């Protein structure tokens, strides 16, 4: 069973790599020769493999190509910009459904803060100027538009916010699936040739979202109110568990980024593993191994639903469920094969995620840990203590794999992030575990809420001090196409060098066994 499972997992890896290659090939072909050229290329590769009588390889190529093509077209459809016959400059009212959670854009002190909202447009209205002389006209609309909504609208029901600030008799929850009508004015075209951008002046009407989204919005609101009294610790815990940074200190958020620890605030596998570990502990106490596995998946799924389905969280959930499935069926594939299967599943079910930076960095970092990290750990075995070597190898592998993307996207590298991750990640795990436990205790015994807030702030203080310390390490400014190419070449050379060192060690080991 194990052997057959390993063979099947290798085939999954081949399909995933092919899907990624087809995605890149078709995306590049669309820029120069059109999608037809990409399809012809894939078909030629498939026919060549079939002629060579490599049927298994041809099947893997075919399925991988199908997944890549499906993901490319579906992502393009999901990201289509606003399309309407109305002149964009004349749009004054826009109606549609909210697609995703509002994201705060920040703002300098003294300036009004805004939230960025993606809206699946359904109808727009033009005219109706301040003088009232312009004729109004309604047009149907499709595609996504970006609406910048004043923070006073979004934060109407938040703790430490006055309800009267919105200037209306009520406000929607602004959760996914909710239908909202805004009075808007255009904000100047598009964002990188993406969705059309508007700024909201007023909320004219809204409809309740689906029941599940409504319940999720209520739970998140009550959660904010529960931990708001915990001060700085509550703001950090809210960012780590609900991806909401409204109460996170601005200087702390900037310090995480400067220290190369932005991934700590972005919900990912680390957060999900803590939730899943706690659920597994409860399940093991209740019903043994099978109950622990079921509780792990259920707890992780609830956390993803509550926090919001970001690409990195969905990746972590799919990876976890596939790993649990492998244990149940006694087919334990290698981590790389499980990651490849998760890539295929996410590309098929959530193809729009593949174009996001979070998706690329999440898969790149984990692939780096499984490939370069494991190689580095074996090469350096015996040189460092095991508790230090494993985190160092994992952090270095993740940094290597994501370095080209970081240089291309942000024009810099954070070398201090390798050591910072080793030092800060255990403290973050401790704080996150203690925070989740404190939330459950506060729900069971409300009078202890204040005391638990003091304990969490005592844990939060050294964590923040350590982050500010690592934030002083300067970043390496590397930008442009030339910098990206050079960094990519260096990463490839380092990985090839690790492979040669590992091969040399294995050869020495074989020679020793041959002499025995």
């Amino acid at each position: 069973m194990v052997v057959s499972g390993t063979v099947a997992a290798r085939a999954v890896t081949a399909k995933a790599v092919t899907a990624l290659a087809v995605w890149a090939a078709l995306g590049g072909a669309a820029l120069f020769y059109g999608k037809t050229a990409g399809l012809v290329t894939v078909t030629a590769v498939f026919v060549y493999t079939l002629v060579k009588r490599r049927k298994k390889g041809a099947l893997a190529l075919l399925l991988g190509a199908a997944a890549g093509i499906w993901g490319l077209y579906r992502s393009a459809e999901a990201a289509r910009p606003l399309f309407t016959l109305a002149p964009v400059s004349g749009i004054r009212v826009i109606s549609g459904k909210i697609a995703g959670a509002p994201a705060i854009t920040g703002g300098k002190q003294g300036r009004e803060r805004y939230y960025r909202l993606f809206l699946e447009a359904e109808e727009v209205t033009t005219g109706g100027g301040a003088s009232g002389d312009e004729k109004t006209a309604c047009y149907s609309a499709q595609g996504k538009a970006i609406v910048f909504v004043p923070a006073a609208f979004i934060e109407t029901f938040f703790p430490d916010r006055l309800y009267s600030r919105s200037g209306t008799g009520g406000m929607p929850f602004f959760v996914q699936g909710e239908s909202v009508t805004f009075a808007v004015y255009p904000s100047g075209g598009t964002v990188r040739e993406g969705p059309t951008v508007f700024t909201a002046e007023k909320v004219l009407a809204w409809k309740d979202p689906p029941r599940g989204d409504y319940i999720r919005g209520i739970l998140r609101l009550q959660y904010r109110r529960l931990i708001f009294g915990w001060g700085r610790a509550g703001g950090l815990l809210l960012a780590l568990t609900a991806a909401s940074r409204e109460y996170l200190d601005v200087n702390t958020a900037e310090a995480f980024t400067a220290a190369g620890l932005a991934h700590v605030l972005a919900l990912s596998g680390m957060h999900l593993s803590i939730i899943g570990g706690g659920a597994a502990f409860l399940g093991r106490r209740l019903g043994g191994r099978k109950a622990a596995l079921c509780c792990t998946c259920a707890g992780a799924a609830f956390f993803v639903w509550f926090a919001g389905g970001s690409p990195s969280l969905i990746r972590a959930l799919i990876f976890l469920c596939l790993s649990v499935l492998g244990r149940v069926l006694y087919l334990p594939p290698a981590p790389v094969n499980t990651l490849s299967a998760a890539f295929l599943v996410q590309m098929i079910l959530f193809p729009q995620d593949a174009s996001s930076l979070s998706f690329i960095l999440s898969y790149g970092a984990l692939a780096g840990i499984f490939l370069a990290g494991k190689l580095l750990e074996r090469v350096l075995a015996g040189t460092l203590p095991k508790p230090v070597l494993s985190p160092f190898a994992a952090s270095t592998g993740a940094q290597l794999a994501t370095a080209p993307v970081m240089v291309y996207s942000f024009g810099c590298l954070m070398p201090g992030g390798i050591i910072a991750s080793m030092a800060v990640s255990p403290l973050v795990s401790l704080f996150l575990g203690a925070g989740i436990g404190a939330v459950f205790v506060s729900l069971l015994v409300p009078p202890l809420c204040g005391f638990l807030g003091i304990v969490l702030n005592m844990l939060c203080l050294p964590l923040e001090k350590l982050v500010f310390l690592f934030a002083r390490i300067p970043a390496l400014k590397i930008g442009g196409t030339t910098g990206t190419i050079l960094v990519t070449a260096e990463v490839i050379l380092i990985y090839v060098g690790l492979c040669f060192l590992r091969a040399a060690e294995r050869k020495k080991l074989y020679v020793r066994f041959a002499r025995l």
Side-chain angles (χ1 to χ4, degrees):
M1 289 287 273
V2 174
V3 175
S4 61
T6 304
V7 173
R10 289 175 181 172
V12 169
T13 303
K15 297 179 184 65
V17 172
T18 305
L20 178 61
V22 169
W23 178 284
L26 289 181
L31 295 177
F32 302 103
Y33 309 107
K35 297 181 176 62
T36 305
L39 288 172
V40 171
T41 303
V42 173
T43 305
V45 173
F46 171 67
V47 172
Y48 170 79
T49 311
L50 192 62
V51 170
K52 290 294 183 178
R53 296 182 179 179
R54 297 176 182 177
K55 296 182 180 179
K56 293 183 179 179
L59 181 60
L61 280 174
L62 179 62
L63 295 179
I69 294 171
W70 166 262
L72 182 68
Y73 281 95
R74 285 288 296 148
S75 63
E77 181 182 350
R80 66 189 187 280
L82 177 67
F83 176 77
T84 179
L85 296 178
V88 175
S89 59
I91 294 177
R92 293 297 176 265
V93 177
I94 184 170
S95 302
K97 290 185 178 180
I98 297 175
I104 192 168
T105 59
K108 295 183 179 180
Q109 191 172 7
R111 294 185 179 180
E112 186 175 5
R113 295 181 301 119
Y114 287 87
Y115 280 77
R116 184 183 62 190
L117 198 68
F118 283 94
L119 197 70
E120 286 282 357
E122 296 175 350
E123 186 180 272
V124 297
T125 303
T126 60
S131 62
D133 297 333
E134 298 182 22
K135 294 183 179 179
T136 60
C138 294
Y139 299 84
S140 61
Q142 293 180 345
K144 284 185 178 179
I146 293 178
V147 180
F148 284 96
V149 183
F153 294 179
I154 304 289
E155 298 175 355
T156 296
F157 301 103
F158 287 11
D160 193 36
R161 302 290 189 268
L162 292 177
Y163 183 82
S164 59
R165 287 183 185 177
S166 62
T168 67
M171 274 287 153
F173 275 115
F174 294 103
V175 297
Q176 185 170 352
E178 192 170 18
S179 297
V180 185
T181 301
F182 292 103
V184 298
Y185 60 88
S187 299
T190 60
V191 177
R192 294 183 182 179
E193 299 181 358
T196 309
V197 182
F198 299 93
T199 300
E201 293 181 304
K202 189 177 181 181
V203 179
L204 300 178
W206 64 89
K207 295 181 181 178
D208 289 337
R211 194 65 180 173
D213 294 322
Y214 179 79
I215 294 174
R216 175 176 172 269
I218 292 293
L219 289 177
R220 287 173 62 91
L221 177 61
Q222 296 301 328
Y223 181 64
R224 283 188 177 94
R225 292 174 175 174
L226 173 66
I227 67 176
F228 169 72
W230 292 346
R232 295 177 69 92
L236 180 58
L237 184 62
L238 184 65
L240 292 174
T241 54
S244 298
R245 303 186 185 184
E246 295 88 0
Y247 300 103
L248 181 63
D249 183 70
V250 176
N251 295 326
T252 302
E254 292 177 351
F256 269 96
T257 303
L261 297 170
H263 62 280
V264 173
L265 295 180
L267 301 187
S268 59
M270 180 187 74
H271 308 76
L272 202 66
S273 62
I274 296 175
I275 301 296
F281 175 79
L282 294 177
R284 195 176 294 110
R285 290 299 182 90
L286 294 176
R289 177 178 176 272
K290 291 185 177 180
L293 294 176
C294 293
C295 288
T296 299
C297 292
F302 175 80
F303 177 68
V304 172
W305 172 77
F306 175 79
S310 65
S312 56
L313 261 188
I314 292 176
R315 188 272 307 160
L317 177 62
I318 296 175
F319 185 90
L320 175 65
C321 292
L322 291 176
S323 300
V324 171
L325 182 63
R327 291 185 181 182
V328 171
L329 299 177
Y330 298 97
L331 298 173
V336 174
N337 299 327
T338 307
L339 182 66
S340 301
F343 176 83
L344 276 176
V345 172
Q346 188 166 1
M347 180 173 282
I348 293 172
L349 298 181
F350 307 97
Q352 67 276 7
D353 292 347
S355 58
S356 68
L357 188 61
S358 174
F359 179 93
I360 297 171
L361 292 176
S362 178
Y363 277 97
L366 208 55
I369 292 173
F370 292 151
L371 297 176
K374 293 299 182 183
L375 278 175
L376 186 62
E377 185 175 355
R378 291 169 182 171
V379 169
L380 297 180
T383 60
L384 293 173
K386 184 69 174 178
V388 177
L389 178 58
S390 295
F392 174 75
S395 181
T396 304
Q399 290 279 348
L400 283 175
T402 57
V405 181
M406 295 293 293
V407 171
Y408 178 79
S409 301
F410 304 107
C412 64
L413 285 176
M414 306 290 187
I418 297 177
I419 307 300
S421 295
M422 296 173 56
V424 173
S425 293
L427 292 179
V428 171
S429 299
L430 176 63
F431 175 79
L432 185 57
I436 294 173
V439 169
F440 281 103
V441 173
S442 298
L443 293 175
L444 296 175
V445 189
L448 292 178
C449 184
F451 171 75
L452 293 174
I454 296 175
V455 174
L456 286 179
N457 276 283
M458 293 174 62
L459 293 175
C460 180
L461 182 61
L463 172 60
E464 288 187 342
K465 293 292 185 182
L466 195 59
V467 171
F468 278 105
L469 177 64
F470 283 111
R472 296 179 180 179
I473 301 177
L476 296 178
K477 300 294 183 180
I478 306 174
T481 305
T482 304
T484 304
I485 295 175
L486 290 176
V487 171
T488 304
E490 290 176 2
V491 169
I492 294 174
L493 288 175
I494 292 174
Y495 182 73
V496 172
L498 290 174
C499 291
F500 273 110
L501 288 174
R502 176 58 181 165
E505 287 189 357
R506 294 180 66 179
K507 187 175 181 179
K508 291 180 181 179
L509 186 62
Y510 291 150
V511 171
R512 290 179 183 177
F513 274 107
R515 292 176 179 176
L516 295 178

